[in-house]
Every structure is written in structure tokens, then in C-alpha cells.
Amino acid sequence: MAIKALDYDTLNENVKKCQYAVRGELYLRASELQKEGKKIIFTNVGNPHALGQKPLTFPRQVVALCQAPFLLDDPNVGMLFPADAIARAKHYLSLTSGGLGAYSDSRGLPGVRKEVAEFIQRRDGYPSDPELIFLTDGASKGVMQILNCVIRGDGDGILVPVPQYPLYSATISLLGGTLVPYYLDESENWGLDVNNLRQSVAQARSQGITVRAMVIINPGNPTGQCLSEANLREILKYCYNEKLVLLGDEVYQQNIYQDERPFISSKKVLMDMGSPFSNGVQLVSFHTVSKGYWGECGQRGGYFEMTNLPPRVVEEIYKVASIALSPNVSAQIFMGLMVSPPKPGDISYDQFARESKGILESLRRRARIMTDGFNSCKNVVCNFTEGAMYSFPQIRLPPGAIQAAKQAGKVPDVFYCLKLLEATGISTVPGSGFGQKEGVFHLRTTILPAEEEMPEIMDSFKKFNDEFMSQVIR
Ligand SMILES: Cc1ncc(COP(=O)(O)O)c(CN[C@@H]2CONC2=O)c1O
């Protein structure tokens, strides 16, 4: 039989190699069970609106008017939309070249890039150049664009934290690069030890790998830790000495649930360090409208800011961005609204402040409920979720469970998560999908289920877990 042009065997090997556990075996099994009528709580994806979180009103009002500009001509528009939403809609439409249906510049609308630069300037207290800010279809696409520029082949290594968000491992595989792991220390609340970095790099170099870049995820996914200023300084110095590009994934910068380590951007720490670091370290920072108290995952809005990249490199990144023509224009407006929200005194400010504060305070309470819930379970220990949207408990599986998993042909934490799913409908992601130390097992869940449902979910988890642990010990 003639080989088809596109068959599994003739697929690009890098496509076959890459894995993305957040929507892997557990998610597929959960979807099957849902089709069979079982109630599933999808806590595998940081997807707030899918778990009942309401969108913020003001951004939706502005984008609705931008999507349907004929409403602006309706004499009753002021009955349905506040004056500041109407004004912002007109402002954004004036930035486009023909409304939301027209392509924008491949780097995004200049007017929105300017708003992002002003946001960064206000946040950090240092200048930010709109020419060095590209808007993207979610932070994911920005990360892929930058890794695509860095990775020349399998001889190029990218330092990635373990546990890590598998966008990085999957993209590095897809691009034919080499992931160089550096392990976060769970006993130090997922702290990052620069000595571990040095060991990982030395080992990679001994295997002929050229380490080119380092990824930090701050706050961490799945681990939820917030990096301290001292930690960030150490990392930036390391990147300077080793000539590594630092990819600063800061998509959870609004999601902070403790006061000891507030979010501080890599850009600010770098600028505070002064020369030779502030003009020597190459940094690309990423942000999104998918997280924070926005949770607008489906809109696909993001940006990255480049610091200390040579102009010719920026031009090449622009050239490649042009291949995809234009980032999603309505998402660019969401991004503009996120970095420049209603201010005190604006008509919509009180409602916006009330809604966003309410979401963040609830997330902070849910982070505590979930952490305490896991720590009340047999053979489960869990660091507090300092930031981001996830809980990543360590599940101390007894030998009997490991043996049972082996007999079922499953990785131990996949085996455990499948049993959990079948028994409770709670859909999680096994820790093996994020990477973990040999012989240590975790699962990742989100802190997103509705607050009023959280106690029941944790009770259901505890009932399953404690029975599971009692059974397998026998
Ligand atoms: C650390 C990190 N970076 C980037 C992204 C991508 O965001 P965009 O939506 O802007 O592309 C995510 C999404 N988090 C995934 C999605 O839900 N659960 C997760 O772990 C993320 O967790």
C-alpha cells in the first residue's frame, strides 16, 4: 500500500517527541468519563472562567463596543454602557486601521504597546520602550517565538526549572533543542539554589551542550513559589557571568497570596543592579491576560518585553512575527485594558476595583483552604501556594501503590491520579507531567474551583486518599 504523504511514521520526529501533560492522559480520560455522564471537576488547567469565575465587567463592555461599533451610533448606547467604556472603545477603535477585523502591525497596535510600556514604567520605575514590546496571541506564542530564535539545534541547551510548566519542555522538543533541568528544592519551599544551576550547566557542557538561555517562572507553575529579590539578583548575576538570555515568565504577577514575598519584576531588579548588569544581561519578560484576576484565557492576549537585545536581533524577531501577520486584535485591546485599567475617579473604577479585589481575595482564601486540606491527608504534604494558581502536593505513595502502578503499566502518580479521577471526578495533572525528583511523586491541581465548593472537594479528596493509603499499605 502506498505510504501516505503524512503518516505517523513520516511525521516530524520532534512532533512525536514533544509531550504536554496539562491536556494529556488524565484530561483525555476525564473527558471520556464526562461523556459517560460522570460529573468531572476539571482542575487540570488554569482556566478560571471554565470554573465559574465571572469576567470583569469593564473590559467586556469596551471590547463589546469595539466588536460592534454600530452600537456607538445608537442613541441609547449611554443607557447600556458607562461613558468611560464608550470613550475607551472609541480610543481603541481609533488605534486600529479599520476596526477589529483589520490586521494590525505584526508587533501589535503601537498605541497598545505604548500602554504596556507605560504600565511597565509605572510598575518598575524605569523607562520602557514600546519598540521593544511585542504583543502576542497569549504568552505561549511569545515564548515559542523567542525559543525559536535561541535554539539552533540539539547542541543548544535551555535551563528550565523542574518541576516546570510543560510549554517549555514541549517547545524545546518541538524545536529540536535540549532541555537542561535545574531542580527546585521542595524542602526550601521550591527555592532555587544557584549551586544546582552550576552543576546542571557543568554537566550539560561536559556533554557538548551549549547552554544559551535560562527560564524562570515567577510566581512558579506548578510550584507556586515567589522568587525573592535576592534570588533574582543571584540569577541575573549568573546569567551575566554565563552569558545566558533570561526568559522571565511573569504571567502570574497579579496572583500573589502572601505578603512576605510580593512580586518584583526581573526587569526592575536588573535595572536596580546598575551597570554592568543593567546594560549587560539579555532579558525577555512575558505577561498575559489569561491569569491574574482577569482569567481571560480564551481571548489569547499576551506580550513580551525585550531588554538588551541587539537591534538586528529585534528586527529578526519582527520579521518572523510578520509571517503570522497580526496578533489577535481584540486580545490586544484586552491587554491595553489590563495594563491601563479604570483609575480612581473614573465612572467604572469602583465596580472594577470591587470585582478584581473580590477575585484576588477569594483566590488567596482558596490557596489556604487547599493547602491545609492536602496537609490534613495521610501521606500528603503540601507547600503553601505563595502565588500563581496551583497546588502541587507531594503524594507519598507506599510500596504497595508503586507495585500496583507497575502491574498496571502506569507511572505511579498517573496511577494515583487515575484512581482519584475515577473515585471523585477530580481531574488533576500527575507531577510526572512537570518533572520531579526520582522517586518523589506529586499531583497538580488548580485553586480555581468555586470557593463554596472547595471544602466539599477537599473532603472528597481526603476520603479517597486516606482510603487509598490504608488499602495499599495492606
Ligand atoms: C507559566 C505559564 N506561562 C505561560 C502560560 C501561557 O499563557 P497564555 O494563555 O498567555 O498563552 C501559562 C498557562 N498556564 C497553563 C494553562 O492552564 N494551566 C496551565 O498550566 C503558564 O502557566
Side-chain angles (χ1 to χ4, degrees), residues 20 22 44-47 137-140 165 167-168 217 221 249 251-252 288 290-291 297 300-301 390 444:
Y20 181 70
V22 173
N44 55 310
V45 191
N47 197 7
D137 292 335
S140 302
Y165 169 50
L167 163 68
Y168 292 94
I217 305 174
N221 173 7
D249 184 325
V251 298
Y252 295 103
T288 180
S290 299
K291 308 300 173 185
C297 304
R300 310 314 294 132
Y390 310 98
R444 189 194 81 171

Side-chain angles (χ1 to χ4, degrees), residues 337-388:
L337 290 160
M338 185 176 89
V339 297
S340 171
K343 291 183 289 297
D346 288 357
I347 298 162
S348 300
Y349 175 74
D350 290 347
Q351 179 186 47
F352 180 85
R354 190 173 57 250
E355 289 175 348
S356 45
K357 191 164 173 281
I359 290 166
L360 263 191
E361 286 173 350
S362 173
L363 282 169
R364 189 175 185 134
R365 291 191 296 269
R366 282 179 272 171
R368 176 50 64 198
I369 294 168
M370 197 155 243
T371 308
D372 294 350
F374 282 131
N375 282 318
S376 74
C377 296
K378 191 191 291 251
N379 294 346
V380 177
V381 288
C382 187
N383 285 330
F384 177 62
T385 300
E386 296 180 352

Side-chain angles (χ1 to χ4, degrees), residues 58 61-62 82-89 342 346-349:
F58 183 72
Q61 289 171 324
V62 174
D84 53 352
I86 292 168
R88 285 298 285 275
D346 288 357
I347 298 162
S348 300
Y349 175 74

Side-chain angles (χ1 to χ4, degrees), residues 25-34 40 42 421 427:
E25 179 178 359
L26 259 290
Y27 170 72
L28 298 173
R29 179 64 183 137
S31 305
E32 276 169 19
L33 289 170
Q34 186 179 47
I40 302 295
F42 282 101
L421 174 66
S427 169

Side-chain angles (χ1 to χ4, degrees), residues 394-414:
Q394 185 185 138
I395 314 290
R396 294 176 169 168
L397 295 170
I402 309 268
Q403 190 51 36
K406 204 169 174 178
Q407 277 157 7
K410 297 288 179 193
V411 169
D413 52 22
V414 171

Side-chain angles (χ1 to χ4, degrees), residues 162-163 183-191 223 381-383 392-396 436-437 440-442:
V162 175
Y183 287 85
L184 301 176
D185 185 346
E186 184 165 16
S187 64
E188 291 298 323
N189 214 18
W190 298 113
T223 46
V381 288
C382 187
N383 285 330
F392 197 61
Q394 185 185 138
I395 314 290
R396 294 176 169 168
Q436 53 200 351
K437 284 199 173 121
V440 181
F441 303 105
H442 302 81

Side-chain angles (χ1 to χ4, degrees), residues 398-466:
I402 309 268
Q403 190 51 36
K406 204 169 174 178
Q407 277 157 7
K410 297 288 179 193
V411 169
D413 52 22
V414 171
F415 177 77
Y416 177 90
C417 290
L418 283 168
K419 292 290 185 192
L420 170 68
L421 174 66
E422 308 274 352
T424 66
I426 298 172
S427 169
T428 59
V429 184
S432 42
F434 302 92
Q436 53 200 351
K437 284 199 173 121
E438 191 60 36
V440 181
F441 303 105
H442 302 81
L443 65 79
R444 189 194 81 171
T445 178
T446 69
I447 59 170
L448 297 174
E451 192 171 350
E452 56 276 13
E453 292 169 13
M454 195 68 95
E456 186 191 339
I457 291 172
M458 294 318 292
D459 289 345
S460 165
F461 175 87
K462 179 172 174 61
K463 182 174 180 300
F464 160 76
N465 174 77
D466 293 0

